[in-house]
Amino acid sequence: MANVVVIGAQWGDEGKGKITDLLSRSADVVVRYQGGVNAGHTIVVEDKVLKLHLIPSGILYKDTICLIGSGTVVDPKVLIGEIEMLLDNDIDISGLQLASTAHVTMPYHRLLDQAIEEKRGVQKIGTTGRGIGPTYADKSQRNGIRVIDLINEAKLREKLKVPLSEKNGLLEKIYGVKPLDGEKIIQEYIQYGERLKPHIVDCTRAIHQAARKKQNILFEGAQGTLLDLDHGTYPYVTSSNPVSGGACIGAGVGPTLIDRVIGVAKAYTTRVGEGPFPTELQGEINDQLCSKGGEYGTTTGRKRRCGWFDGVIGKYAVEVNGLDCLAITKLDVLDELDEIRVCIGYEINSQRINYFPSSAEDFEKCTPIFKTLPGWKVSTANCKHLEDLPPPAMNYLRFLAEIMEVPIAIVSLGPNRDQTIVIEDPIHGPKRALLSL
């Protein structure tokens, strides 16, 4: 048995939802440990497309406990909408659990997020406008509302006094936005609390009870490594820690409980929003990748920026997350290309470097150094086994494994569950004994 963390090894949107769904078959408990409704997973089951933002994709398995952990920030209106969507699709949600200590995104958080981003002008970060940053800011300032506060009207009324007064002042006097009605918010959010009450649990206690029973626990991260607040392309990052270490904080477990870390990376690279992107493409190839890859955000619908695979940030993700293996997704998107390029280093100020710069300004100046590999010009969408892949596709995967110095365990060739090659079981197989391409 193993406790596994699944993380994004790029800028998010790597296809973690599908991989988490695949691994959830072997999991007893799936824990979402950070982020909020700024994240999105798209799962395709029997041609039915399900879009999730807060609920772990393991909810599609009837006997799996799906826990939204303490490190997340929860918009209860969105969460209830997801619950209703799942019920409409005849999906059992009895396994859904919500941490009592998770912080709540309030209406003023959304308004502030949008107003602050607009005020930044040309220096905008590219937030989703969903209120995530302001929610985490209130959490850090010990001024937040938690899930447990939604089931006690007197407590919510008392705790809302200071932040609502403060935020209404900011909205009205600094950003010219009409102040919010506190009583209306209280009545709305108390109703949300009543609706969610059957799912609210003590997060840490629930996880450690599962651990004592020797159950498989899968920790699911949102966003990706390069969007990490501490280790990403700051300031063009999210407001939490998507890296594997964030699982311990967001779920309330020690690092000794984690057995394995699996990274998910696309066969090329994308990012949403602002910030440096050395391998970014323009023109026909960019449009081709975007179109065939369906590169539009699950949460915002924004078109993603597309580029060649960046082996430098890939190796960085291996290091900061302690990756044991990789899942490579969307290999099929490259099927029609004559040649494929991979970034193997950067040039900055006439010097070659093989590492990710900590300064966003330096990263902006980096020019990628590419290695060009031949394409395969045949469809891989129906390949079921490793030996079914065309030799150039195999060589491409071998090259990615070589430059990132980590084995590949899973290859995804499309959105459906059955469009997946599992080279070696990444949960039950021996640690670091996976097949290295």
Side-chain angles (χ1 to χ4, degrees), residues 90-135:
D90 298 320
I91 293 169
D92 181 10
I93 62 159
S94 59
L96 177 63
Q97 297 182 353
L98 171 62
S100 60
T101 48
H103 279 249
V104 177
T105 296
M106 304 297 288
Y108 47 77
H109 291 135
R110 291 190 295 272
L111 290 176
L112 278 170
D113 197 1
Q114 294 158 17
I116 292 168
E117 183 75 346
E118 184 178 348
K119 195 84 169 178
R120 288 189 178 111
V122 295
Q123 294 182 320
K124 65 181 180 179
I125 292 171
T127 77
T128 61
R130 299 301 200 270
I132 310 304
T135 310

Side-chain angles (χ1 to χ4, degrees), residues 151-170:
I151 57 177
N152 185 320
E153 184 173 340
K155 184 189 291 186
L156 178 61
R157 189 177 296 277
E158 182 64 27
K159 288 199 170 187
L160 201 55
K161 283 181 183 177
V162 172
L164 183 60
S165 174
E166 176 188 286
K167 300 307 188 295
N168 271 341
L170 283 172

Side-chain angles (χ1 to χ4, degrees), residues 24-181:
S24 294
R25 298 176 187 177
S26 301
D28 301 296
V29 181
V30 181
V31 183
R32 166 77 180 277
Y33 61 83
Q34 49 77 223
V37 297
N38 55 342
H41 290 332
T42 300
I43 311 296
V44 181
V45 184
E46 297 176 353
D47 296 324
K48 185 181 290 186
V49 179
L50 301 173
K51 295 187 177 184
L52 300 171
H53 300 277
L54 284 165
I55 298 175
S57 45
I59 198 69
L60 302 181
Y61 296 96
K62 184 178 179 181
D63 297 323
T64 302
I65 297 298
C66 289
L67 175 55
I68 301 170
S70 296
T72 59
V73 293
V74 177
D75 186 325
K77 184 176 181 179
V78 174
L79 177 56
I80 290 168
E82 282 188 43
I83 290 171
E84 291 173 350
M85 179 272 292
L86 292 170
L87 290 173
D88 288 344
N89 283 277
D90 298 320
I91 293 169
D92 181 10
I93 62 159
S94 59
L96 177 63
Q97 297 182 353
L98 171 62
S100 60
T101 48
H103 279 249
V104 177
T105 296
M106 304 297 288
Y108 47 77
H109 291 135
R110 291 190 295 272
L111 290 176
L112 278 170
D113 197 1
Q114 294 158 17
I116 292 168
E117 183 75 346
E118 184 178 348
K119 195 84 169 178
R120 288 189 178 111
V122 295
Q123 294 182 320
K124 65 181 180 179
I125 292 171
T127 77
T128 61
R130 299 301 200 270
I132 310 304
T135 310
Y136 276 113
D138 271 6
K139 176 180 178 177
S140 296
Q141 292 172 353
R142 285 84 74 194
N143 211 18
I145 304 297
R146 301 196 297 178
V147 167
I148 198 168
D149 299 327
L150 302 186
I151 57 177
N152 185 320
E153 184 173 340
K155 184 189 291 186
L156 178 61
R157 189 177 296 277
E158 182 64 27
K159 288 199 170 187
L160 201 55
K161 283 181 183 177
V162 172
L164 183 60
S165 174
E166 176 188 286
K167 300 307 188 295
N168 271 341
L170 283 172
L171 288 168
E172 189 174 20
K173 296 173 184 177
I174 304 297
Y175 299 108
V177 177
K178 185 179 177 180
L180 294 163
D181 183 331

